Structures are given as C-alpha cells and as structure tokens.
C-alpha cells in the first residue's frame, strides 16, 4: 500500500530533522525540551492533507524504539503529539523559513546590490524599492530577538545557543532552487496539490514578477552577449553567491550570468524573496501563534514515550503564564501590519523614465490587481481564507 500511495503522490513527509541534537534552553533554572519529529501525511481525495502517523524523536542506536502516535490513539495522546509537532514547527518557521529565507537573504541581496551596482544601473533601479527598511529591521532582530538575552533566550526552547545552531544548519542547506517556487514546489511534490494555497498563489505571483522582470531586462539588454559583457552585473552576481552567501555555488547559486533568461530568473528570485517569500512567512504569525497551544514557543516536559497521556500532562507541557504572555507580545509585534504599508510596486519613487519602462510597470501593476481580485473571489469559497500572498497585502520590502 505504501509504495502505491507514494507513486500516486498521496503520501508526504514533514521532516524536522534540522532540530535533531539541538541543545534545549534552560529558562529561570527550568529545563525546556526540543523534539525533532517525523510526520507522515496523507492527501485525501477531498484535498485535505492530514497526519497519519507522528514519531516525536528520530531512532537512536542503542535506544528503545520510539513511540509512533496515530489518529486512532487515545485523544489526549494524539493531541499532545500534534502539539509537539506544532512547537517544532514554530522553531523551524522562525529560524529557517522566516529569518534566513526572508530577512537575511533579502539583506544579502541588498548589500550586494549597493556594493556592486551603481545607482544608474537598470538592475539597481529594478531592485532598490525592495530594500526599504530591511537593514533597520534586521538590526533589531539581531539585537533583540536572537541576541544574547534576547527573546529566544528568554522564552523559546531553542534559545541560549540552540537557535544559532539551527540558523547555521538552515543557512548551510539553503539552495537556489528552494527560493524559486516552480522548482521548490516540484522538488517537494506539491505542484498538483490543490489544497496547497501557498503553492497556488506563489506560482501565480512568481510568474507575474517574472514577466515584469523580462519586460524590464528586455529594454536594457538586447542579447545574451550584453549580459555576459556587463562587468558590474557579473560582479553583483559573484557578490551575492561568493561573499554574501559564503560560497553557495555548490548549492545551485550562480557565480556568473550567461544569458538574459538566467538574469531574469535570478532577478525574479531576488524580488520574490524580498516580497512574496517573506510575506508568506511573516503574515501568518499572529493568526497561528497568538493561540499558544497551536504553536508553543517552548515545551516544559519531555516528549511522551507512551500513550498514557492526561490533560494535565498537556497543560504542564505548554508554556507557563509568563512564557505565554511573552509569546503573545512578540507575536503581536512581529505579526502586526505596518502603519504605513507600501504594497508590492506601489512605491511613489520613480526610478525609470521613458515610455518603455512605464508601460512595463503599468502592465505589472494591472496583473497584480487582477491577481488580487482573483484571490478575493477564491477566498469566498474557503472556510479559512488565504491572503498571505494577496498582492495588496504583500509589502514591497522586508520591513517587519
């Protein structure tokens, strides 16, 4: 049955092995706990992707077999297992999906652009609107979120060094393909999963940005030779891959740009990372983490080794009152909408003159408006609307 389901594309795996071996935090002399679950999910005919088995710790040589939790188990045991998965997901969401792939990748692109491209360069003009306030918010993250005695050290189970270890692991496995939704979704087998609302909207937004980039690049680069012969462009590409990402060519990042198509793909990745990719990880924080059991920032008891679980076991595992209050506070701060939010390509600054660029920009804005309306209509048929990649709600840069 398993092989048949795999071939049919109905079995999926949520792998949290990045957390394996991470040293858990000690908060006010109290030991906290971290798990590295493995979750198998099944895609049902109605489109729902539901967990079918949860293993909270990876197998360990010389240790007893780990317990596998099933939906048919006692309700409290299954609930606690799912809560543990959500706590692990909190760690990877913040330390893999949000900070490195959103904030820090945007900073790499921004610094490389300002170091390597003059302000009159067309690629500089194309990218500069997507760097507004990024350095400022990343400085705040380094000084108050992941710093010594920052939020992670104070209330999160991976704080006091474990979070730094996870950031290093996440950065080491960051690939070029994973930042490009058509490749990323294909690699994960999610291209045809209709219930993947992120996949649906990410592909649509990527294609709109790609057409916009192709239009702009076509105005300034008439041939592949023009791309190859631009020394500033080549220096910018090397700056991103070799300096900013510390030699990431072995993870698929280019060190040179050989054609207009390759340039367009790279620039599309840069813009999508600073806009849609960050928005998809940022905007859901308040929705999903303000209810503490749905994404506990820490767990105060070790993962269960049996299915004899009571309600008290669950309550004692969840963050205490102080930790829960802190999670609510920083989740509200991180998940809030900016008082003056500039949506994707709605900035007032004019970087390009002439009818050609203005025509391309106008077409881009029209496509974004059409996508916004389509998502509004589609959301009317959903019990839980998905708006994290709705263009009118996607910020033009990483600002929070």
């Amino acid at each position: 049955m398993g092989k048949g389901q795999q071939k049919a594309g109905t079995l999926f795996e949520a792998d949290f092995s990045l957390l394996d071996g991470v040293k858990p935090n000690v908060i006010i002399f109290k030991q906290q706990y971290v798990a590295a679950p493995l979750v198998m999910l099944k895609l049902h005919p109605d489109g729902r992707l539901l967990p079918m088995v949860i293993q909270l710790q990876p197998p360990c040589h010389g240790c007893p077999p780990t317990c596998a939790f099933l939906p048919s188990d006692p309700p409290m045991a299954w609930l606690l297992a799912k809560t543990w998965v959500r706590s692990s997901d909190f760690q990877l969401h913040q330390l893999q999906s949000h900070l490195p792939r959103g904030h820090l990748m945007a900073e790499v692109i921004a610094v490389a652009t300002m170091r390597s491209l003059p302000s009159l360069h067309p690629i500089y003009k194309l990218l500069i609107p997507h760097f507004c306030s990024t350095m400022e918010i990343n400085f705040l993250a380094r000084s108050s979120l992941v710093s010594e005695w920052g939020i992670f050290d104070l209330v999160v189970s991976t704080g006091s060094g474990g979070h730094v270890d996870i950031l290093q692991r996440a950065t080491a496995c960051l690939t070029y393909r994973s930042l490009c939704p058509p490749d990323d979704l294909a690699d994960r087998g999610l291209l045809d999963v209709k219930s993947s609302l992120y996949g649906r909207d990410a592909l649509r937004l990527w294609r709109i940005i790609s057409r916009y980039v192709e239009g702009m690049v076509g105005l300034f680069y008439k041939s592949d030779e023009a791309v190859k012969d631009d020394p500033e462009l080549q220096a910018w590409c090397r700056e991103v891959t070799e300096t900013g990402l510390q030699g990431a060519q072995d993870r698929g990042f280019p060190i040179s740009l050989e054609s207009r198509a390759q340039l367009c793909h790279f620039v599309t990745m840069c813009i999508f990372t600073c806009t849609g990719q960050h928005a998809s990880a940022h905007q859901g924080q308040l929705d999903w983490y303000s209810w503490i059991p749905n994404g506990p920032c820490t767990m105060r008891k070790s993962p269960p080794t049996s299915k004899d679980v009571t309600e008290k076991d669950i309550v004692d595992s969840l963050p205490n009152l102080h930790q829960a209050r802190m999670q609510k506070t920083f989740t509200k701060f991180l998940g809030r909408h900016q008082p003056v939010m500039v949506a994707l390509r709605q900035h007032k600054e004019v970087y390009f003159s002439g009818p050609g660029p203005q025509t391309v920009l106008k077409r881009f804005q029209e496509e974004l408006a059409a996508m916004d309306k389509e998502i509004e209509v589609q959301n009317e048929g959903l019990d839980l609307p998905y708006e994290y990649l709705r263009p009118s709600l996607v910020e033009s840069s990483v600002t929070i």
Side-chain angles (χ1 to χ4, degrees):
M1 180 182 70
K3 290 183 179 179
Q5 288 175 326
Q6 286 178 334
K7 288 180 180 179
T10 60
L11 282 184
F12 292 84
E13 177 183 282
D15 184 3
F16 296 86
S17 59
L18 210 66
L19 297 172
D20 189 21
V22 170
K23 184 179 179 181
N25 201 356
V26 176
I27 302 174
I28 315 180
F29 306 109
K30 300 284 187 180
Q31 181 67 59
Q32 310 297 297
Y33 297 90
V34 178
L38 178 64
V39 185
M40 296 300 297
L41 305 104
K42 183 178 180 181
L43 182 64
H44 292 258
D46 62 2
R48 293 180 303 162
L49 188 61
L50 299 176
M52 55 186 296
V53 61
I54 295 173
Q55 181 178 280
L56 291 179
Q57 294 289 13
C60 178
H61 181 70
C63 299
T66 54
C67 192
F69 293 87
L70 307 170
S72 57
D73 287 340
M76 289 299 167
W78 181 237
L79 179 59
L80 182 56
K82 290 190 292 182
T83 303
W84 263 104
V85 172
R86 294 297 301 143
S87 181
S88 297
D89 192 59
F90 175 96
Q91 313 302 325
L92 289 193
H93 173 251
Q94 297 295 357
L95 298 170
Q96 183 180 36
S97 302
H98 189 191
L99 185 54
R101 292 169 58 87
H103 285 257
L104 300 184
M105 189 64 204
E107 181 174 328
V108 166
I109 298 165
V111 171
T113 300
M114 289 185 276
R115 281 170 55 113
S116 303
L117 296 177
S119 59
L120 294 178
H121 197 285
I123 301 303
Y124 179 98
K125 293 180 179 181
L126 195 56
L127 292 176
I128 195 64
H130 306 294
F131 303 149
C132 179
S133 299
T134 297
M135 301 303 180
E136 178 185 4
I137 193 60
N138 283 3
F139 173 80
L140 288 174
R142 288 189 180 94
S143 60
S144 60
L145 190 65
V146 296
S147 61
E148 187 175 8
W149 300 113
I151 295 296
F152 266 78
D153 281 7
L154 294 177
V155 294
V156 180
S157 60
T158 54
S160 299
H163 62 307
V164 177
D165 189 15
I166 297 169
L167 284 170
Q168 292 171 337
R169 297 180 186 188
T171 303
C173 64
L174 178 68
T175 66
Y176 185 36
R177 289 180 64 86
S178 73
L179 294 173
C180 305
D183 300 324
D184 177 49
L185 292 167
D187 291 344
R188 293 194 284 148
L190 291 170
L191 275 178
D192 299 320
V193 178
K194 295 181 180 179
S195 58
S196 175
L197 302 181
Y198 163 81
R200 178 199 68 184
D201 294 346
L203 279 176
R204 192 182 309 174
L205 183 58
W206 171 275
R207 289 164 182 160
I208 291 173
I209 294 173
S210 180
R211 287 192 289 270
Y212 165 62
V213 171
E214 288 169 3
M216 285 296 194
V217 167
L219 294 174
F220 297 96
Y221 294 92
K222 300 302 182 181
S223 67
D224 292 345
E225 289 298 320
V227 172
K228 289 191 283 188
D229 293 342
D230 185 338
E232 293 165 337
L233 191 66
Q234 301 300 331
W236 169 68
C237 178
R238 288 193 303 273
E239 181 78 17
V240 170
T241 299
E242 294 187 337
T243 304
L245 294 173
Q246 297 288 291
Q249 53 265 42
D250 61 334
R251 288 177 272 128
F253 289 88
I255 57 173
S256 64
L257 298 168
E258 304 296 323
S259 66
R260 292 196 299 177
Q262 189 182 16
L263 170 61
C264 290
H265 194 77
F266 193 66
V267 173
T268 300
M269 179 277 294
C270 292
I271 295 176
F272 184 82
T273 294
C274 298
T275 57
Q277 186 62 55
H278 174 256
S280 68
H282 158 73
Q283 293 203 64
Q285 293 177 104
L286 192 58
D287 293 341
W288 298 104
Y289 298 147
S290 58
W291 170 239
I292 306 302
N294 194 53
C297 64
T298 190
M299 296 293 274
R300 294 184 296 130
K301 291 185 69 175
S302 60
T305 56
S306 77
K307 301 181 182 182
D308 183 17
V309 175
T310 66
E311 183 177 327
K312 185 177 186 302
D313 292 325
I314 297 177
V315 173
D316 289 346
S317 296
L318 291 171
N320 62 27
L321 182 60
H322 168 70
Q323 293 164 335
R325 188 184 298 118
M326 286 285 287
Q327 178 173 333
K328 288 277 287 187
T329 299
F330 76 75
T331 296
K332 185 177 181 180
F333 174 80
L334 293 174
R336 78 190 193 281
H337 290 288
Q338 291 288 68
V340 182
M341 194 276 272
V342 179
L344 179 57
R345 273 300 162 183
Q346 296 300 319
H347 57 275
K348 296 179 181 179
E349 298 85 358
V350 178
Y351 294 100
F352 291 99
S353 59
Q358 293 306 313
T359 299
V360 174
L361 178 58
K362 182 180 179 182
R363 185 165 62 244
F364 180 44
Q365 292 170 330
E366 289 172 349
E367 288 193 54
L368 290 174
M371 177 180 170
D372 198 84
K373 185 63 179 177
E374 288 171 9
I375 291 177
E376 181 182 4
V377 172
Q378 289 171 341
N379 279 340
E380 291 175 357
L382 297 176
D383 294 331
L384 188 63
Y386 184 82
E387 296 197 319
Y388 304 147
L389 286 173
R390 187 173 174 180
S392 61
L393 299 177
V394 172
E395 288 204 65
S396 191
S397 60
V398 178
T399 65
I400 184 63

